Amino acid sequence: MGDVSIERLVLKLHEVSGVKFGEYKLKSGLLTPIYIDLRVLVSHPALMNQVSGLLYQRVQDECLQFDSLCGVPYTALPLATIICSRHELPMLIRRKEAKDYGTKRMVEGSFRQGDTCLIIEDTVTSGSSILETAEVLYKEGLKVTDAVVLMDREQGAAEMLASRGIRLHSLVSMFKLLEVLQAADRVDGKTAQSVKTFILDNNTFSRKDDNGNAFPATKKACVERSVELSYADRAKLPNVHPLASRLLASMEAKQSNLCVSADVTSSQELLRLADSLGPAICALKTHVDILEDYTAAFSRDLQALAEKHNFLVFEDRKFADIGNTVKHQYEGGLYRISSWSHMVNAHAVPGPGVVKGLSAVGKPLGRGCLLIAQMSSEGSLATGEYTQAVLKMAEEQSDFVIGFICGSKITKRPEFIHMTPGVQMQAGGDGLGQQYTTPEEVLYRKGSDVIIVGRGILEAPDRLKAAESYRKSGWEAYTKRLGQ
């Protein structure tokens, strides 16, 4: 979705009085110097079609999965209707009040218990209108994980909805709208600044501590940005896998997003690494099949060190066979990987059966799987449509898949963890196809969650010092991303 399309949309909305400056009272009771009145869209069919098209494009860009679509009454109803009619999607209608005759239903349309419904809305301030619709849908046995909105006033809706397990995807933010209008001389600097001040001073969402006491609402930075949840916040989301929650909580507690790739051939050397680097890492990645002296005692000792230092063990097995075969590879054989490794990874090439086979063994044990969506080697074929197919597979089996091995963030769904290999302090390559990227690039610019570092630490004169350097660099890049 290009900036040009959004800018043209903003200017057109202003032309038809969809954006007004003055003093207006919002549903929340706040008096605002700007009012977004998108009810005028019904009188401008071409513009309404444009808005509907951009909303659906955002749905596709985010790869959202849903069974039906519901527009918040009343302004979003025609938008939802156009989207569903044009793309032949099932639609539900939420009534604002129940009829006292007929079926007396609050939700009209055909659906099944457990279906996921995507909510469409025109504009949000606090997010209460979306939440009200979601609660009606919940009572009918439906699930709501995402909402797409044309205009986000950036006053706490995204944060509030995220706290309730609903991700908000907006086309236009208030600061972007002001930027476009000011650049086109549609609003003067003084008015734009008064609106920005109002937005910053009137965040409607307050977090609560463990005792239920509200923290003061936080002010937004005066720049356009998408909501970035902290590791700690993501660990508490209702849809997050328990193992992912454990990893995120550990990362927050240890202030570490570093996973060390312990590619050594001696069991004792690997255990020494785990013990010495354990306090600085959130995960330890192993290649158990390169150990020359593996024993069952080794796996027990590794589990004890993981418990001692609060990190997860990740066996980089890269399962890539049919379900029945990977099931035996995971639970049996010499290594009995499922008995000691918290996480494993798998290629999606065999199809969903590979995950089902692993899940049959790992799910009862509380294990998790990372799907390989992208690779750090030069010429990798894991790109484009393949990556999107991996994402879909993960979403369909999120009771076992906790995230991805990837070069950059591939989904905005905060319950999935992105882990990126091929990280060193200096970008470049090794002559054998491995491409290296810096912690700053991976965590700050590409939005990943965990850096996987091997040779940058193992080949250092002082491994502990090197690990601490990567831990610090990774954490600084993450906090920079949070504060942008």
Side-chain angles (χ1 to χ4, degrees):
M1 188 183 306
D3 288 342
V4 174
S5 298
I6 294 299
E7 290 171 5
R8 289 174 179 168
L9 175 62
V10 168
L11 295 176
K12 188 63 179 177
L13 288 173
H14 183 255
E15 288 174 11
V16 301
S17 298
V19 180
K20 303 175 182 179
F21 295 93
E23 186 174 87
Y24 302 90
K25 188 173 183 179
L26 299 174
K27 179 181 178 180
S28 61
L30 291 174
L31 290 176
T32 173
I34 186 171
Y35 187 59
I36 310 300
D37 182 13
L38 298 181
R39 287 167 294 190
V40 300
L41 287 175
V42 296
S43 298
H44 302 275
L47 182 56
M48 189 159 59
N49 281 331
Q50 181 186 357
V51 169
S52 301
L54 289 172
L55 286 169
Y56 184 68
Q57 186 176 337
R58 185 60 190 273
V59 171
Q60 290 185 306
D61 289 344
E62 297 294 335
C63 300
L64 302 182
Q65 302 294 313
F66 55 94
D67 301 296
S68 58
L69 192 148
C70 180
V72 175
Y74 289 107
T75 308
L77 276 175
L79 300 175
T81 301
I82 292 172
I83 292 171
C84 291
S85 176
R86 182 174 294 172
H87 301 284
E88 298 184 0
L89 301 171
M91 177 176 163
L92 302 178
I93 297 176
R94 172 220 154 186
R95 288 185 171 276
K96 295 197 80 169
E97 58 284 315
K99 298 185 297 183
D100 58 3
Y101 58 91
T103 63
K104 301 182 180 180
R105 297 175 65 178
M106 287 296 291
V107 178
E108 301 289 356
S110 300
F111 55 88
R112 296 170 299 181
Q113 294 275 323
D115 279 356
T116 298
C117 185
L118 174 67
I119 292 179
I120 299 293
E121 176 61 306
D122 63 327
T123 184
V124 290
T125 302
S126 66
S128 61
S129 60
I130 289 176
L131 188 60
E132 287 170 5
T133 295
E135 288 175 341
V136 172
L137 297 172
Y138 292 152
K139 290 178 181 178
E140 300 292 333
L142 292 156
K143 295 187 292 186
V144 177
T145 58
D146 298 271
V148 180
V149 61
L150 172 57
M151 171 64 64
D152 178 10
R153 290 179 59 98
E154 297 188 286
Q155 290 179 252
E159 293 93 334
M160 187 278 285
L161 291 171
S163 74
R164 303 297 186 93
I166 301 174
R167 293 172 293 270
L168 182 68
H169 312 273
S170 62
L171 289 184
V172 187
S173 70
M174 183 63 77
F175 286 105
K176 179 65 176 179
L177 179 141
L178 292 170
E179 175 189 314
V180 172
L181 292 180
Q182 196 170 356
D185 293 324
R186 301 287 184 91
V187 63
D188 59 46
K190 182 179 180 180
T191 302
Q193 187 56 51
S194 71
V195 174
K196 291 177 183 178
T197 300
F198 172 81
I199 296 298
L200 294 173
D201 287 344
N202 290 278
N203 191 312
T204 62
F205 177 67
S206 295
R207 299 186 184 278
K208 293 184 177 181
D209 62 22
D210 294 337
N211 296 317
N213 300 313
F215 291 124
T218 55
K219 294 185 178 182
K220 284 182 172 283
C222 192
V223 294
E224 184 195 13
R225 63 179 179 88
S226 58
V227 174
E228 182 76 39
L229 296 177
S230 69
Y231 296 144
D233 288 335
R234 289 166 62 187
K236 298 174 184 176
L237 291 174
N239 296 327
V240 71
H241 189 284
L243 188 64
S245 177
R246 178 178 169 184
L247 177 57
L248 289 164
S250 171
M251 290 159 65
E252 185 76 28
K254 299 178 73 172
Q255 295 193 355
S256 175
N257 43 32
L258 171 63
C259 171
V260 168
S261 183
D263 295 338
V264 296
T265 59
S266 163
S267 295
Q268 289 306 308
E269 183 181 1
L270 198 157
L271 292 173
R272 286 194 295 270
L273 269 176
D275 199 17
S276 62
L277 305 186
I281 65 176
C282 65
L284 183 76
K285 184 171 79 70
T286 61
H287 277 124
V288 69
D289 54 358
I290 69 173
L291 292 177
E292 298 172 349
D293 56 352
Y294 174 83
T295 63
F298 159 79
S299 62
R300 291 193 295 270
D301 291 341
L302 183 57
Q303 288 181 81
L305 290 172
E307 192 70 26
K308 173 184 176 182
H309 295 301
N310 189 23
F311 64 79
L312 297 188
V313 178
F314 164 30
E315 167 55 25
D316 189 6
R317 178 61 177 78
K318 297 185 179 72
F319 290 100
D321 215 317
I322 62 173
N324 187 59
T325 299
V326 300
K327 179 176 179 290
H328 291 298
Q329 291 172 330
Y330 189 23
E331 70 178 341
L334 174 64
Y335 303 116
R336 300 189 179 277
I337 295 169
S338 62
S339 69
W340 53 268
S341 181
H342 301 99
M343 301 179 288
V344 292
N345 56 359
H347 287 290
V349 173
V354 67
V355 178
K356 292 177 181 177
L358 294 171
S359 177
V361 176
K363 187 177 174 182
L365 299 174
R367 307 307 193 196
C369 179
L370 300 160
L371 288 181
I372 300 169
Q374 299 166 332
M375 296 186 71
S376 57
S377 53
E378 185 178 7
S380 167
L381 302 180
T383 59
E385 291 184 4
Y386 176 83
T387 299
Q388 290 305 309
V390 172
L391 174 58
K392 182 179 180 182
M393 189 182 297
E395 291 171 335
E396 291 173 347
Q397 302 190 68
S398 58
D399 58 345
F400 184 60
V401 177
I402 66 170
F404 310 95
I405 300 297
C406 52
S408 61
K409 188 176 186 178
I410 66 169
T411 176
K412 292 185 178 180
R413 293 182 61 164
E415 63 267 34
F416 285 123
I417 295 174
H418 298 75
M419 300 181 67
T420 300
V423 177
Q424 285 200 3
M425 289 300 186
Q426 299 295 325
D430 67 355
L432 295 175
Q434 174 65 289
Q435 300 296 300
Y436 291 113
T437 314
T438 65
E440 168 90 359
E441 178 72 16
V442 168
L443 293 162
Y444 176 63
R445 294 188 177 89
K446 294 188 175 181
S448 193
D449 297 310
V450 177
I451 54 173
I452 301 176
V453 183
R455 280 174 273 185
I457 292 173
L458 298 186
E459 295 179 358
D462 187 332
R463 290 174 171 177
L464 181 57
K465 183 177 180 181
E468 179 57 27
S469 177
Y470 275 98
R471 185 205 66 79
K472 183 179 179 182
S473 179
W475 193 257
E476 287 176 351
Y478 157 70
T479 54
K480 180 179 178 182
R481 188 175 86 204
L482 279 185
Q484 68 177 338

